[in-house]
């Protein structure tokens, strides 16, 4: 299942929640506003009627022909907002405002408030229910006021929705910055780096997770260390008895009379040598996996290289051709011992598995690229990919345990370099080539 984004979920959830709450609030506020508006309008209507009524009564009683309806003239023609009728109890019109339409009023005058489809009416009486005034106000007016109030309440929502979305998005993004930093810290880890991951100020919800991860790393580190120290210790403990047995068997071989006994002693001696080599390789692997492969100060690779090649040339009858860079020194931050172990394994392989009649070429470039090339039948791509695994051997006839390239790979990874196996060797139809690209340091 695809994991959903917290940013998206929070953004949408909060915006939706805010919108719903706002709408609820708006409806409540609007109902109250509408009620208050109605009250205000009603009281204005009543007030007006009560004001006009005594004046109308005075005017009508002063007339000579009182039963004649009269339109109140205005000083200036205008569209009336409130209209009124003054009638007697039978509904006979005595007086009306100039714009008044009698059809909109009740047939018979009625006291108090009433509402028709389009008007709000108010009636009052005077002179013991003989003169009635009725005043009408179009409902449109109220409805418009209510509508405007509603718009005023809803309008901010238009701005609030994008602000809320953007705000949450930004806020979550900022809050999760430390989580992102944590992720980068985890991703940037080298293979063998199991030290605790330190990231400052993680959110309180994530902090326990980081602690748990560090805990786990700690346990893993301890388990691996135990495994490594066991390998190293076992190999180390084997050394002395192996050497002693080897010495004994050599003496036995010399002292034995010519014949099958001597041949057997020679076989045992060979097996013991193999065993000693295996234990040596196991120790190298344990050392390579134990870390501490980087040196504090950058090392000049050239003298280290020259030294190891010299050593091998002595024992191999000058089969190795060394090509050094034009620069006087090439620095890289690798522990000299680790570099020697790496190089020894590569050169040993080239001498052991390569064609015996061809030289082994070892070269270092200005860019800190180490190449070890030897002749021999090419190794198929499918086999090549697995040669760096532990105890994996190719179709070579020479003896070995299959640990050399695994040791080389572990060291290369531990110092942040990269190793590639190429076969056939570049620019040739056969052979085997190992390239190791070190991180070059400017100088000491
Ligand atoms: N320079 C080379 N030329 C040809 N084949 C090689 C070369 N280096 C390694 N190989 C092949 O890769 C296999 C694995 O090499 P690796 O160094 O890991 O083990 P090994 O040399 O057989 O044993 P060990 O190094 O433990 O004594 C070898 O068995 C060999 O088949
Ligand atoms: Mg080897």
């Amino acid at each position: 299942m695809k994991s959903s984004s917290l940013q998206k979920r929070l953004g949408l959830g909060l915006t939706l929640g805010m919108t719903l709450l706002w709408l609820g609030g708006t409806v409540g506020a609007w109902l109250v506003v509408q009620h208050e508006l109605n009250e205000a309008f009603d009281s204005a209507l009543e007030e007006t009627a009560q004001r006009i009524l005594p004046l109308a009564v005075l005017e009508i009683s002063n007339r000579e022909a009182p039963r004649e309806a009269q339109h109140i003239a205005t000083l200036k023609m205008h569209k009336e907002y409130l209209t009124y009728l003054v009638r007697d109890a039978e509904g006979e019109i005595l007086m009306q405002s100039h714009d008044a339409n009698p059809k909109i009023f009740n047939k018979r005058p009625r006291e108090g408030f009433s509402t028709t489809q389009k008007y709000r009416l108010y009636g009052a009486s005077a002179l013991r229910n003989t003169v009635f005034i009725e005043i009408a106000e179009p409902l449109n007016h109220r409805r418009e006021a209510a509508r405007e109030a509603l718009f005023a309440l809803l309008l901010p929502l238009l701005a609030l929705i994008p602000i809320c979305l953007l705000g949450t998005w930004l806020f979550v993004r900022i809050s999760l910055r430390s989580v992102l930093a944590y992720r980068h810290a985890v991703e940037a880890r080298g293979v063998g780096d199991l030290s605790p991951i330190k990231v400052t100020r993680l959110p309180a919800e994530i902090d326990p997770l980081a602690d748990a991860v560090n805990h786990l790393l700690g346990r893993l580190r301890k388990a691996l260390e135990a495994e490594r120290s066991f390998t190293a210790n076992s190999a180390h403990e084997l050394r002395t008895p192996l050497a002693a047995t080897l010495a004994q068997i050599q003496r036995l071989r010399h002292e034995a009379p010519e014949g099958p006994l001597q041949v057997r002693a020679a076989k045992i001696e060979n097996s013991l040598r193999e065993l000693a080599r295996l234990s040596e390789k196991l120790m190298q692997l344990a050392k390579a996996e134990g870390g501490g492969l980087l040196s504090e100060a950058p090392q000049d690779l050239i003298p280290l290289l020259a030294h190891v090649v010299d050593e091998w040339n002595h024992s191999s009858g000058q089969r190795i051709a060394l090509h050094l860079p034009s620069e006087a020194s090439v620095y890289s931050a690798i522990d000299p011992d680790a570099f020697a172990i790496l190089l020894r394994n590569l050169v040993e392989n080239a001498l052991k598995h390569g064609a015996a009649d061809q030289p082994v070429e070892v070269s270092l470039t200005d860019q800190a690229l180490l190449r070890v090339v030897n002749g021999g039948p090419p190794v198929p791509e499918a086999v090549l990919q697995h040669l760096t695994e532990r105890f994996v051997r190719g179709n070579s006839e020479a003896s070995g345990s299959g640990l050399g390239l695994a040791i080389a790979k572990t060291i290369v990874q531990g110092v942040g370099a990269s190793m590639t196996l190429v076969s056939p060797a570049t620019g040739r139809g056969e052979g085997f080539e190992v390239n190791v690209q070190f991180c070059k340091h400017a100088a000491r």
Side-chain angles (χ1 to χ4, degrees):
M1 205 178 88
K2 197 176 173 296
S3 58
S4 64
S5 144
L6 196 62
Q7 230 167 357
K8 193 166 126 191
R9 261 163 50 180
L10 276 179
L12 287 181
L14 285 175
T15 308
L16 193 71
M18 193 257 340
T19 308
L20 288 178
L21 284 177
W22 188 276
L23 285 178
T26 299
V27 169
W30 186 62
L31 288 177
V32 172
V33 165
Q34 214 179 17
H35 181 77
E36 293 298 323
L37 273 176
N38 274 337
E39 263 183 16
F41 277 112
D42 279 354
S43 102
L45 204 60
E46 189 179 347
E47 190 78 7
T48 314
Q50 299 290 2
R51 287 272 168 93
I52 296 173
L53 188 56
L55 298 174
V57 170
L58 198 66
E59 157 77 25
I60 290 163
S61 52
N62 282 347
R63 280 188 204 157
E64 283 105 49
R67 291 291 152 206
E68 210 153 279
Q70 189 191 354
H71 282 258
I72 298 301
T74 45
L75 292 175
K76 207 164 91 187
M77 280 308 277
H78 67 286
K79 184 109 179 70
E80 273 182 326
Y81 162 56
L82 292 175
T83 52
Y84 62 88
L85 275 189
V86 180
R87 296 188 283 189
D88 62 13
E90 272 70 49
E92 204 60 45
I93 298 173
L94 302 175
M95 189 183 191
Q96 70 180 71
S97 62
H98 76 100
D99 233 6
N101 176 8
K103 282 190 197 125
I104 65 171
F105 293 90
N106 297 312
K107 283 237 156 49
R108 297 233 147 195
R110 199 196 287 172
E111 284 190 68
F113 286 103
S114 56
T115 311
T116 66
Q117 260 186 351
K118 287 188 171 167
Y119 292 90
R120 179 80 167 156
L121 304 172
Y122 177 73
S125 67
L127 305 179
R128 264 176 250 102
N129 289 349
T130 54
V131 178
F132 290 86
I133 182 165
E134 277 173 298
I135 189 156
E137 183 206 353
L139 280 177
N140 270 350
H141 193 63
R142 293 178 183 215
R143 288 188 183 136
E144 196 187 313
R147 217 169 25 239
E148 271 168 17
L150 187 64
F151 274 132
L153 286 168
L154 282 181
L155 214 59
L157 197 57
L158 281 186
L160 271 179
I161 289 177
I163 289 175
C164 184
L165 270 178
L166 196 76
T168 334
W169 187 81
L170 265 178
F171 194 71
V172 174
R173 195 182 171 80
I174 291 171
S175 311
L176 289 186
R177 254 198 331 220
S178 56
V179 179
L180 223 65
Y182 183 66
R183 188 184 116 192
H184 290 317
V186 174
E187 279 176 350
R189 280 301 162 106
V191 191
D193 189 356
L194 290 176
S195 59
I197 299 162
K198 286 188 210 84
V199 169
T200 43
R201 292 202 300 128
L202 274 177
E205 289 84 355
I206 313 255
D207 219 23
L209 198 71
D211 281 346
V213 169
N214 280 344
H215 229 79
L216 186 69
L217 280 179
R219 290 217 304 267
L220 208 60
R221 197 171 51 240
K222 273 199 191 119
L224 283 176
E225 269 162 16
E227 189 202 355
R228 267 181 223 136
S229 68
F230 178 74
T231 320
N233 287 340
S234 325
H236 190 75
E237 291 298 318
L238 278 175
R239 243 187 197 173
T240 326
L242 268 177
T245 324
L246 202 58
Q248 291 290 333
I249 207 80
Q250 272 169 347
R251 270 179 60 191
L252 191 69
R253 184 163 60 91
H254 285 302
E255 286 164 13
E258 294 254 339
L261 186 62
Q262 212 178 51
V263 175
R264 232 194 261 168
K267 274 188 183 162
I268 297 178
E269 190 188 331
N270 250 342
S271 299
L272 280 175
R273 278 189 205 287
E274 283 290 311
L275 205 56
R277 258 204 299 275
L278 173 61
S279 108
E280 177 63 26
K281 294 260 160 168
L282 282 175
M283 244 163 53
Q284 288 180 2
L285 188 60
K287 179 173 173 9
E289 287 182 335
L293 300 172
L294 290 170
S295 68
E296 304 252 308
Q299 299 292 322
D300 187 359
L301 299 183
I302 295 177
L304 298 173
L305 184 68
H307 178 71
V308 174
V309 169
D310 236 32
E311 235 176 48
W312 277 105
N313 259 340
H314 272 298
S315 56
S316 74
Q318 309 297 319
R319 265 184 66 199
I320 307 169
L322 179 61
H323 306 282
L324 288 175
S326 52
E327 275 179 35
S329 40
V330 174
Y331 287 104
S332 185
I334 181 172
D335 178 62
D337 280 347
F339 183 74
I341 293 176
L342 167 69
L343 193 59
R344 262 190 218 118
N345 273 294
L346 295 183
V347 173
E348 182 199 59
N349 276 353
L351 290 172
K352 194 161 72 168
H353 305 297
D357 54 349
Q358 290 182 35
V360 169
E361 285 175 42
V362 177
S363 64
L364 184 70
T365 68
D366 289 336
Q367 297 312 312
L369 173 69
L370 173 73
R371 287 175 78 215
V372 179
V373 185
N374 59 272
V379 178
E381 175 66 31
V383 180
L384 205 60
Q385 281 176 359
H386 296 286
L387 290 183
T388 51
E389 290 165 24
R390 295 174 189 187
F391 299 109
V392 171
R393 310 200 56 230
N395 344 337
S396 170
E397 271 151 36
S399 68
S401 50
L403 284 177
L405 287 179
I407 294 167
K409 187 184 168 194
T410 312
I411 293 176
V412 160
Q413 280 178 345
V415 299
S418 64
M419 179 171 83
T420 45
L421 307 182
V422 186
S423 186
T426 29
R428 291 160 66 157
E430 43 82 75
F432 192 92
E433 172 182 342
V434 184
N435 292 322
V436 181
Q437 177 66 63
F438 291 99
C439 310
K440 192 185 173 189
H441 261 264
R444 226 176 255 267

